[in-house]
mmCIF file of all heavy atoms in Angstrom:
data_model
loop_
_atom_site.group_PDB
_atom_site.id
_atom_site.type_symbol
_atom_site.label_atom_id
_atom_site.label_comp_id
_atom_site.label_asym_id
_atom_site.label_seq_id
_atom_site.Cartn_x
_atom_site.Cartn_y
_atom_site.Cartn_z
ATOM 1 N N LEU A 23 -2.212 41.119 7.260
ATOM 2 C CA LEU A 23 -3.515 40.921 7.890
ATOM 3 C C LEU A 23 -3.526 39.597 8.637
ATOM 4 O O LEU A 23 -2.775 38.681 8.312
ATOM 5 C CB LEU A 23 -4.610 40.923 6.812
ATOM 6 C CG LEU A 23 -4.678 42.193 5.968
ATOM 7 C CD1 LEU A 23 -5.617 42.016 4.781
ATOM 8 C CD2 LEU A 23 -5.126 43.361 6.836
ATOM 9 N N ASP A 24 -4.382 39.526 9.582
ATOM 10 C CA ASP A 24 -4.492 38.306 10.380
ATOM 11 C C ASP A 24 -5.691 37.491 9.911
ATOM 12 O O ASP A 24 -6.842 37.893 10.084
ATOM 13 C CB ASP A 24 -4.653 38.673 11.854
ATOM 14 C CG ASP A 24 -4.685 37.440 12.741
ATOM 15 O OD1 ASP A 24 -4.862 36.325 12.202
ATOM 16 O OD2 ASP A 24 -4.532 37.580 13.960
ATOM 17 N N GLY A 25 -5.374 36.370 9.341
ATOM 18 C CA GLY A 25 -6.434 35.537 8.774
ATOM 19 C C GLY A 25 -7.391 34.974 9.805
ATOM 20 O O GLY A 25 -8.469 34.490 9.462
ATOM 21 N N ASP A 26 -6.989 35.017 11.053
ATOM 22 C CA ASP A 26 -7.896 34.531 12.090
ATOM 23 C C ASP A 26 -8.859 35.613 12.549
ATOM 24 O O ASP A 26 -9.850 35.331 13.205
ATOM 25 C CB ASP A 26 -7.096 34.041 13.299
ATOM 26 C CG ASP A 26 -6.282 32.810 12.966
ATOM 27 O OD1 ASP A 26 -6.742 32.035 12.104
ATOM 28 O OD2 ASP A 26 -5.198 32.636 13.548
ATOM 29 N N VAL A 27 -8.534 36.827 12.212
ATOM 30 C CA VAL A 27 -9.329 37.947 12.716
ATOM 31 C C VAL A 27 -9.974 38.747 11.589
ATOM 32 O O VAL A 27 -11.161 39.064 11.615
ATOM 33 C CB VAL A 27 -8.442 38.899 13.558
ATOM 34 C CG1 VAL A 27 -9.257 40.094 14.012
ATOM 35 C CG2 VAL A 27 -7.832 38.156 14.737
ATOM 36 N N ASP A 28 -9.182 39.054 10.596
ATOM 37 C CA ASP A 28 -9.667 39.925 9.526
ATOM 38 C C ASP A 28 -10.410 39.139 8.460
ATOM 39 O O ASP A 28 -9.979 38.056 8.058
ATOM 40 C CB ASP A 28 -8.480 40.640 8.875
ATOM 41 C CG ASP A 28 -7.646 41.400 9.897
ATOM 42 O OD1 ASP A 28 -8.256 42.102 10.727
ATOM 43 O OD2 ASP A 28 -6.408 41.288 9.866
ATOM 44 N N ALA A 29 -11.505 39.712 8.035
ATOM 45 C CA ALA A 29 -12.220 39.127 6.892
ATOM 46 C C ALA A 29 -11.563 39.640 5.619
ATOM 47 O O ALA A 29 -11.479 40.841 5.396
ATOM 48 C CB ALA A 29 -13.688 39.522 6.933
ATOM 49 N N VAL A 30 -11.087 38.712 4.808
ATOM 50 C CA VAL A 30 -10.335 39.090 3.613
ATOM 51 C C VAL A 30 -10.868 38.335 2.407
ATOM 52 O O VAL A 30 -11.178 37.146 2.496
ATOM 53 C CB VAL A 30 -8.830 38.782 3.786
ATOM 54 C CG1 VAL A 30 -8.056 39.135 2.525
ATOM 55 C CG2 VAL A 30 -8.261 39.515 4.989
ATOM 56 N N ALA A 31 -10.967 39.036 1.308
ATOM 57 C CA ALA A 31 -11.343 38.375 0.065
ATOM 58 C C ALA A 31 -10.494 38.949 -1.061
ATOM 59 O O ALA A 31 -10.011 40.073 -0.975
ATOM 60 C CB ALA A 31 -12.828 38.570 -0.227
ATOM 61 N N VAL A 32 -10.321 38.166 -2.087
ATOM 62 C CA VAL A 32 -9.592 38.628 -3.259
ATOM 63 C C VAL A 32 -10.590 38.846 -4.385
ATOM 64 O O VAL A 32 -11.439 37.995 -4.660
ATOM 65 C CB VAL A 32 -8.510 37.617 -3.681
ATOM 66 C CG1 VAL A 32 -7.807 38.093 -4.940
ATOM 67 C CG2 VAL A 32 -7.518 37.421 -2.555
ATOM 68 N N GLN A 33 -10.447 39.985 -4.987
ATOM 69 C CA GLN A 33 -11.434 40.446 -5.947
ATOM 70 C C GLN A 33 -10.801 40.516 -7.330
ATOM 71 O O GLN A 33 -9.661 40.962 -7.492
ATOM 72 C CB GLN A 33 -11.892 41.841 -5.515
ATOM 73 C CG GLN A 33 -12.897 42.505 -6.398
ATOM 74 C CD GLN A 33 -13.324 43.843 -5.822
ATOM 75 O OE1 GLN A 33 -12.777 44.282 -4.799
ATOM 76 N NE2 GLN A 33 -14.267 44.506 -6.461
ATOM 77 N N GLN A 34 -11.558 40.079 -8.315
ATOM 78 C CA GLN A 34 -11.124 40.234 -9.689
ATOM 79 C C GLN A 34 -12.244 40.939 -10.420
ATOM 80 O O GLN A 34 -13.310 40.375 -10.598
ATOM 81 C CB GLN A 34 -10.842 38.864 -10.299
ATOM 82 C CG GLN A 34 -10.183 38.938 -11.636
ATOM 83 C CD GLN A 34 -9.755 37.561 -12.108
ATOM 84 O OE1 GLN A 34 -10.514 36.595 -12.006
ATOM 85 N NE2 GLN A 34 -8.562 37.461 -12.622
ATOM 86 N N TRP A 35 -12.017 42.155 -10.789
ATOM 87 C CA TRP A 35 -13.074 42.999 -11.320
ATOM 88 C C TRP A 35 -14.196 43.085 -10.281
ATOM 89 O O TRP A 35 -13.905 43.397 -9.142
ATOM 90 C CB TRP A 35 -13.566 42.495 -12.684
ATOM 91 C CG TRP A 35 -12.434 42.240 -13.626
ATOM 92 C CD1 TRP A 35 -12.211 41.124 -14.376
ATOM 93 C CD2 TRP A 35 -11.329 43.127 -13.935
ATOM 94 N NE1 TRP A 35 -11.041 41.248 -15.102
ATOM 95 C CE2 TRP A 35 -10.497 42.454 -14.858
ATOM 96 C CE3 TRP A 35 -10.945 44.400 -13.520
ATOM 97 C CZ2 TRP A 35 -9.320 43.023 -15.364
ATOM 98 C CZ3 TRP A 35 -9.781 44.966 -14.019
ATOM 99 C CH2 TRP A 35 -8.987 44.284 -14.934
ATOM 100 N N SER A 36 -15.368 42.702 -10.648
ATOM 101 C CA SER A 36 -16.431 42.931 -9.669
ATOM 102 C C SER A 36 -16.660 41.753 -8.735
ATOM 103 O O SER A 36 -17.400 41.863 -7.765
ATOM 104 C CB SER A 36 -17.722 43.273 -10.395
ATOM 105 O OG SER A 36 -18.068 42.219 -11.268
ATOM 106 N N ASN A 37 -16.019 40.627 -9.017
ATOM 107 C CA ASN A 37 -16.348 39.427 -8.255
ATOM 108 C C ASN A 37 -15.209 38.926 -7.375
ATOM 109 O O ASN A 37 -14.048 39.216 -7.618
ATOM 110 C CB ASN A 37 -16.790 38.306 -9.208
ATOM 111 C CG ASN A 37 -18.086 38.629 -9.898
ATOM 112 O OD1 ASN A 37 -18.099 39.240 -10.944
ATOM 113 N ND2 ASN A 37 -19.174 38.227 -9.281
#
Side-chain angles (χ1 to χ4, degrees):
Chain A
L23 302 170
D24 184 345
D26 293 329
V27 177
D28 305 314
V30 178
V32 178
Q33 179 177 5
Q34 189 172 45
W35 310 131
S36 58
N37 294 88

